[in-house]
Amino acid sequence: MLQAGFEMEPFFLSGERGALFCVHLYPSHIAPKGGILYLHPFAEEMHKSRRMAALQARRFAAEGYAVLQVDLTGCGDSACDFGDATWETWLADARRAFAWLSAKATGPIILWGLRTGASLAVELASALPGIKRLILWQPVVNGEQYLNQFLRIKLASEMLSGNQAQSGTKDLRAKLEAGENIEVGGYMLGGAMARDLARVKLADIPSPCPVEWLEVGAEEGESASPASQRIVDAWRAAGVTVHTRTLSGEPFWVTQEITECPSLIEATTEAISRSI
Amino acid sequence: MKYTEQAIVFNCADCRLIGIATQPETPAETGVLIVVGGPQYRAGSHRQFTLLARQLAGQGVASMRFDYRGMGDSEGDMRNFEAIDADIRAAIDTFLKHAPEVRRIAIWGLCDAASAALYYAHTDTRVSRLILLNPWVHTEAGASRVRLKYYYLSRLMQRSFWTKILSGKIELSKSVGDLSKSARSAAKGESSTAAAPSDPRHGSPGYIERMLDGLKRFQGEILFILSGNDLTAQEFVALTQRDKRWKKLCHSPRISSETVKKANHTFSSQTWRGQVETRTVQWLASSGKSI
């Protein structure tokens, strides 16, 4: 298929707590086939995966979709400090971005998210009518496990800097619950964010619309990782259509160097052209 | 001081690049171009560059941060810091167009962006100053020397190291193995014209010589900010002590240097970031005093 030209417009969208940085990509000469809203992952994962998100967004735009990427409150180029953000603020940001895109784009609206951005997309879809499909890249299925992994970054850096680790994740969790903010790898984590993140359990919120569930692993396959597959099975039992695929590649949201995973982009683009 | 942020698309060759200009109401004559180094994009690790831009604006200094080709939101294939001259030039053109009160540019760069700034600065008369953080001068031999000096020798003096060895928490044979490997690598002679990191993405042969050449040619003022707890910074310090040419240049009155104690490579805490921001603002305000 001949790829269409597309426009690239960065701008600031007004949010509850200040301006939200956005990039809007849309086809130059045709009405978009649909709108795709991208929700990014947590803290440094957002930075590491920025290029992959941009590559996929440009690919979608070249295929004729309007794509909106939004930096959530306290992230990227948006207003506030990371420590000011809560999961609720992020949901509100995502709603605003959704409303903006719905007003601009013709055709159906799709939500696409990576890691906690995928979890956020599932929550948003269950709260808003009119979302036609979810594209979930390596979703965080259990927020509590994710939070503990995030806190381990702090413990690891304490050990690497030659200090005795001051505490375990339990102590850090207790501090957060007592309302203390904790700095992890340069990001201030607020107690409210930690509490809400720990409550995220995709098993409890079956998607209201069809899902493309895509993961990256050592080997290609038609299923997801075992931990994810349990959620997928539960969603399917609840009547949700879920397509799963694992692509071979590196976990680009955490690699030391910026990495690309072209097979994920191919598979995602293929999935979306099949669905509409 | 109040400030505004403006998202901008501009071109470099046949690619569209994205940048953000942050401007106070009445900006100082010198504006800061933040060039991104390492595996990052324009917001910086733990948003260091976004937060820096806002601090600068609060103190009356305009800035622009941007993704060069192949980075973050910008188009193009991935490229390394040795091939971004055109991107920096396009960014400065765009910055000056959007910030007409800015007359001169200070380039602010961390890690390999500091190296890129040294390549570029002397080719553009608009660039009057450089703020270079933990400049990237990595080679295998250089890193081994630093590991020997700072890591092994300092550890041999530590009581806790010996306690860990005696209690079996550190494998003695592994430590000795690492130590002798570092010693061998450090002792290996290398000509500075050929020296390069093992991964070509991190610098091609002779890249440190080209940095030195840029340093010689650039006539403006330079501030080096170094982290107290970072191998990259230690490699740079070791180079300026070991190599007479670097040593001589770094002692020139137009070059000053500071260390942020205990800070790691990316200054990953509010405190360390704050110290970098403060020093940047103070040094910019002290314009021209040393020349």
Side-chain angles (χ1 to χ4, degrees):
Chain A
M1 179 193 147
L2 186 69
Q3 293 204 333
F6 60 89
E7 307 299 315
M8 199 161 148
E9 274 180 11
F11 67 101
F12 285 96
L13 178 70
S14 77
E16 261 173 27
R17 306 281 310 268
L20 303 172
F21 176 80
C22 296
V23 184
H24 183 216
L25 306 175
Y26 58 96
S28 302
H29 304 296
I30 54 162
K33 288 182 197 171
I36 302 173
L37 173 63
Y38 173 69
L39 299 171
H40 63 71
F42 200 74
E44 204 65 3
E45 290 188 8
M46 181 258 215
H47 294 225
K48 294 285 183 191
S49 57
R50 191 86 191 182
R51 177 158 171 84
M52 269 298 285
L55 286 173
Q56 181 68 68
R58 292 201 285 270
R59 183 64 185 275
F60 281 146
E63 298 283 335
Y65 292 89
V67 186
L68 183 67
Q69 294 169 263
V70 59
D71 290 2
L72 302 166
T73 297
C75 301
D77 293 308
S78 288
C80 296
D81 187 74
F82 191 80
D84 301 325
T86 65
W87 193 257
E88 287 305 316
T89 332
W90 284 1
L91 273 172
D93 296 342
R95 276 173 186 266
R96 253 170 217 260
F98 174 81
W100 188 92
L101 184 62
S102 305
K104 285 268 174 188
T106 48
I109 302 282
I110 295 166
L111 296 185
W112 155 43
L114 169 62
R115 309 284 290 138
T116 55
S119 325
L120 197 65
V122 175
E123 287 201 13
L124 188 68
S126 65
L128 278 179
I131 290 163
K132 291 292 182 245
R133 204 165 194 96
L134 287 176
I135 302 167
L136 308 181
W137 274 6
Q138 203 82 23
V140 168
V141 296
N142 183 318
E144 177 150 40
Q145 280 173 9
Y146 182 80
L147 174 63
N148 288 337
Q149 280 165 16
F150 183 69
L151 294 173
R152 269 182 224 123
I153 297 173
K154 182 180 177 67
L155 303 179
S157 80
E158 278 173 2
M159 283 192 279
L160 277 176
S161 64
N163 299 333
Q164 203 75 34
Q166 296 299 312
S167 44
T169 50
K170 270 188 187 164
D171 297 333
L172 295 176
R173 293 284 300 276
K175 282 183 183 169
L176 286 163
E177 271 158 39
E180 210 174 299
N181 288 357
I182 288 185
E183 197 173 31
V184 182
Y187 288 89
M188 201 56 87
L189 178 67
M193 174 63 92
R195 186 194 58 223
D196 291 347
L197 185 59
R199 281 186 195 148
V200 171
K201 293 212 170 27
L202 289 196
D204 300 340
I205 25 176
S207 165
C209 59
V211 176
E212 302 293 337
W213 186 300
L214 296 135
E215 297 194 339
V216 175
E219 280 179 39
E220 302 240 345
E222 294 305 313
S223 57
S225 63
S228 297
Q229 196 59 45
R230 279 196 295 276
I231 316 291
V232 170
D233 291 341
W235 283 13
R236 282 178 179 156
V240 185
T241 305
V242 187
H243 297 115
T244 53
R245 242 181 115 175
T246 296
L247 288 310
S248 119
E250 288 183 75
F252 55 86
W253 54 93
V254 287
T255 48
Q256 172 60 31
E257 300 294 330
I258 303 298
T259 38
E260 296 175 358
C261 182
S263 58
L264 178 62
I265 293 179
E266 288 311 315
T268 306
T269 312
E270 194 184 298
I272 200 167
S273 57
R274 177 185 65 216
S275 65
I276 293 180
Chain B
M1 201 181 293
K2 276 189 186 169
Y3 63 86
T4 54
E5 290 202 286
Q6 192 182 3
I8 303 168
V9 170
F10 59 101
N11 289 302
C12 178
D14 53 355
C15 294
R16 285 173 285 188
L17 274 53
I18 287 188
I20 295 184
T22 309
Q23 291 190 72
E25 278 172 333
T26 41
E29 273 200 358
T30 302
V32 173
L33 183 78
I34 299 169
V35 178
V36 179
Q40 268 302 322
Y41 86 111
R42 64 176 185 279
S45 298
H46 43 85
R47 297 175 83 220
Q48 183 181 16
F49 308 151
T50 299
L51 299 170
L52 170 70
R54 292 176 186 168
Q55 280 300 320
L56 288 173
Q59 304 292 319
V61 179
S63 69
M64 179 152 138
R65 56 189 186 275
F66 73 105
D67 293 329
Y68 57 71
R69 280 171 290 172
M71 171 187 280
D73 294 330
S74 293
E75 291 182 308
D77 292 332
M78 287 205 271
R79 57 181 53 231
N80 83 0
F81 65 93
E82 295 179 274
I84 62 170
D85 276 9
D87 309 65
I88 296 177
R89 189 172 298 276
I92 292 176
D93 292 345
T94 307
F95 183 23
L96 293 177
K97 201 166 80 190
H98 285 84
E101 283 144 311
V102 172
R103 305 258 171 239
R104 288 189 298 271
I105 298 291
I107 297 181
W108 192 104
L110 167 66
C111 193
D112 58 29
S115 316
L118 278 177
Y119 290 165
Y120 180 82
H122 69 92
T123 68
D124 189 337
T125 52
R126 298 169 296 183
V127 179
S128 63
R129 313 180 89 188
L130 297 175
I131 299 157
L132 307 177
L133 299 91
N134 300 332
W136 179 251
V137 292
H138 173 73
T139 61
E140 301 313 320
S144 296
R145 270 190 291 266
V146 164
R147 266 197 297 275
L148 269 179
K149 185 173 169 189
Y150 290 89
Y151 185 69
Y152 291 109
L153 297 182
S154 73
R155 290 197 89 184
L156 288 173
M157 302 304 202
Q158 279 172 4
R159 191 190 165 91
S160 64
F161 175 74
W162 290 102
T163 318
K164 281 179 190 163
I165 293 262
L166 294 172
S167 64
K169 280 183 185 158
I170 291 179
E171 276 182 64
L172 189 59
S173 61
K174 188 174 174 298
S175 286
V176 171
D178 288 348
L179 175 65
S180 62
K181 200 172 144 204
S182 285
R184 272 198 307 277
S185 176
K188 233 185 252 170
E190 62 181 355
S191 83
S192 57
T193 47
S198 55
D199 185 337
R201 284 177 299 184
H202 299 154
S204 58
Y207 83 100
I208 300 169
E209 286 295 297
R210 288 196 292 282
M211 286 170 65
L212 180 70
D213 184 56
L215 182 64
K216 273 183 199 155
R217 288 167 188 261
F218 179 64
Q219 293 306 309
E221 286 177 288
I222 302 176
L223 171 66
F224 287 109
I225 302 181
L226 304 169
S227 296
N229 181 22
D230 173 40
L231 266 180
T232 304
Q234 284 162 352
E235 253 190 281
F236 178 73
V237 171
L239 175 70
T240 61
Q241 290 168 350
R242 184 168 45 86
D243 187 309
K244 281 179 189 147
R245 299 164 307 161
W246 280 90
K247 193 175 190 171
K248 193 177 161 215
L249 276 170
C250 289
H251 277 96
S252 118
R254 65 189 171 88
I255 296 181
S256 39
S257 172
E258 303 215 9
T259 301
V260 177
K261 276 182 195 161
K262 293 186 181 170
N264 64 2
H265 183 58
T266 65
F267 306 88
S268 70
S269 78
Q270 228 170 35
T271 311
W272 297 330
R273 277 197 307 260
Q275 286 172 300
V276 169
E277 288 161 2
T278 306
R279 281 312 294 139
T280 300
V281 170
Q282 285 173 350
W283 186 75
L284 285 172
S286 70
S287 177
K289 278 183 190 157
S290 64
I291 324 184

